[in-house]
Amino acid sequence: MSARTLLRGLAAATAAAATLTLSACGAVTPADSGGSEDGSFELASHIQQRIDDGEPMRIKLSYHDPSLAFATPIGAGMEKAGEELGADVALIGPTGGDAAQQVSEIQTLIQQKAVDGLAVSSASSDALKPVIAQAYDAGIPVISFNTDNPDSKQMGFVGQDLKGSGKAQAERLLEELDGTNEGKVVVFSVDTGAGWSHDRFGGFKEGLDGSGLEIVGPVNVGNEPSAAYNTVESTMSGQSGVVAVAGLDCCSTTAAAKWVAQSGDAGDIAMGGFDLLTRTAEYIDEGVLDFTISQNPTEQGYQAVKVLHDFLTEGTEIEGMDTGAQFITQDNLDEATVED
């Protein structure tokens, strides 16, 4: 992963991250109940009062499963932004990725008027759309981060182009296969029902379209490491003619790489994954994993806080950021930053 660049102005871009402008919907003015009759955004009066009184902004990042290793660097970026900006920040969310729990937690924040800015990484895009709308209509500025909800009332998105990253993963696997046009590609995910997984797999399928390769999966492995490995093992035992394996996230990548390493077929099976945990880096160094794709989670946490804080305190138009898809291989592993 490239060195983190903490942007002070969201109009800037780095080699690993290009900015995408997603405008806030309408003018921002104080209101008792939030949304106006014409659907434009109006800041809740109690939030405006906190701004006028110079109170620190209470910004919550609702992550779909804080128990995942990927949440650690997100939290680090969030904390750094909170310290720099003087914001009261917190990473919340349901352990295990339960969408109903995530919705309930956010609804409580809205009802108790306990949040001034909200960033949501959805356990389920469909399940979270209504509560994103509730926050917006209540006059709470709300964005998505890490996982996009483009058909919701989000006011911006900070994270990776999920479909684009999935397509890039598939295209890189084709390069690793060097012209192979037959055989199976087995795909794993910690949560095949999640919106982020669906989007990334959609891009992956597009990237392999016309290659002649057969896609198996995505196979759901869950979040628990031992159970994930057992699922990979049982899946692979029933397959023949496998030429490539792909993980759509941090933890299905390490589970699948463990199987490839123990199978003794690392030299014959191309493998690509996502994120750069310590074990992921070791599998790359050992030649088990050909590449992984970093999405800069520290920057996601930092920018999710910053775009909301700047909107609230300075009236800065909300912008989103594509944190990019950088390939990590043996060639640049020494320069990369581990994400756990």
Side-chain angles (χ1 to χ4, degrees):
M1 182 174 68
S2 60
R4 181 174 77 246
T5 303
L6 299 179
L7 304 180
R8 299 300 299 175
L10 292 175
T14 69
T19 54
L20 301 175
T21 301
L22 297 173
S23 299
C25 301
V28 181
T29 56
D32 290 331
S33 60
S36 66
E37 293 182 1
D38 65 1
S40 61
F41 181 78
E42 295 184 9
L43 188 67
S45 58
H46 70 275
I47 297 178
Q48 184 62 57
Q49 188 62 56
R50 287 180 55 80
I51 295 171
D52 295 342
D53 292 344
E55 297 286 343
M57 292 293 93
R58 301 166 301 177
I59 297 174
K60 311 292 186 185
L61 272 58
S62 176
Y63 187 61
H64 59 266
D65 187 354
S67 69
L68 294 175
F70 194 77
T72 301
I74 286 177
M78 175 197 72
E79 292 288 353
K80 182 172 181 61
E83 292 173 5
E84 289 186 5
L85 301 171
D88 179 2
V89 299
L91 184 70
I92 61 174
T95 299
D98 186 292
Q101 290 183 19
Q102 188 177 20
V103 169
S104 177
E105 190 173 45
I106 294 173
Q107 286 177 330
T108 298
L109 290 175
I110 296 170
Q111 293 163 1
Q112 296 180 352
K113 297 183 178 180
V115 61
D116 303 321
L118 178 66
V120 178
S121 174
S122 302
S124 164
S125 295
D126 289 340
L128 271 292
K129 284 178 186 177
V131 79
I132 289 173
Q134 287 176 33
Y136 181 93
D137 293 341
I140 301 167
V142 55
I143 65 170
S144 291
F145 78 105
N146 186 248
T147 60
D148 199 3
N149 272 298
D151 298 325
S152 70
K153 282 192 172 182
Q154 69 181 29
M155 299 165 68
F157 172 61
V158 172
Q160 188 180 75
D161 178 348
L162 295 170
K163 185 174 182 180
S165 66
K167 183 177 181 181
Q169 181 189 36
E171 292 173 342
R172 182 59 178 259
L173 274 177
L174 289 177
E175 293 179 16
E176 297 291 342
L177 289 170
D178 193 24
T180 300
N181 58 7
E182 60 181 29
K184 296 177 181 177
V185 180
V186 186
V187 183
F188 296 98
S189 170
V190 296
D191 186 359
T192 55
W196 62 263
S197 182
H198 181 270
D199 291 345
R200 192 169 275 163
F201 182 63
F204 188 87
K205 288 194 297 182
E206 185 176 322
L208 287 189
D209 187 41
S211 67
L213 298 170
E214 176 187 350
I215 297 176
V216 177
V219 177
N220 192 85
V221 301
N223 294 327
E224 201 285 313
S226 295
Y229 174 76
N230 290 339
T231 299
V232 171
E233 185 177 45
S234 62
T235 299
M236 298 304 293
S237 67
Q239 301 296 328
S240 60
V242 175
V243 295
V245 173
L248 296 180
D249 51 80
C250 62
C251 304
S252 66
T253 294
T254 51
K258 180 179 179 181
W259 180 88
V260 172
Q262 294 185 0
S263 72
D265 295 328
D268 300 319
I269 296 178
M271 183 172 181
F274 275 91
D275 308 323
L276 189 61
L277 307 184
T278 299
R279 194 67 186 105
T280 315
E282 290 170 351
Y283 283 130
I284 291 175
D285 188 51
E286 294 165 7
V288 174
L289 185 61
D290 294 303
F291 66 89
T292 193
I293 300 176
S294 169
Q295 54 181 317
N296 208 345
T298 305
E299 185 73 358
Q300 289 182 7
Y302 182 92
Q303 292 296 340
V305 173
K306 181 168 171 55
V307 297
L308 289 166
H309 191 270
D310 288 355
F311 176 79
L312 288 163
T313 62
E314 301 177 15
T316 305
E317 185 179 46
I318 284 185
E319 295 181 335
M321 169 179 284
D322 178 2
T323 53
Q326 184 185 20
F327 290 91
I328 307 298
T329 67
Q330 284 185 340
D331 292 337
N332 62 354
L333 181 60
D334 289 343
E335 303 168 6
T337 301
V338 175
E339 297 168 356
D340 62 355

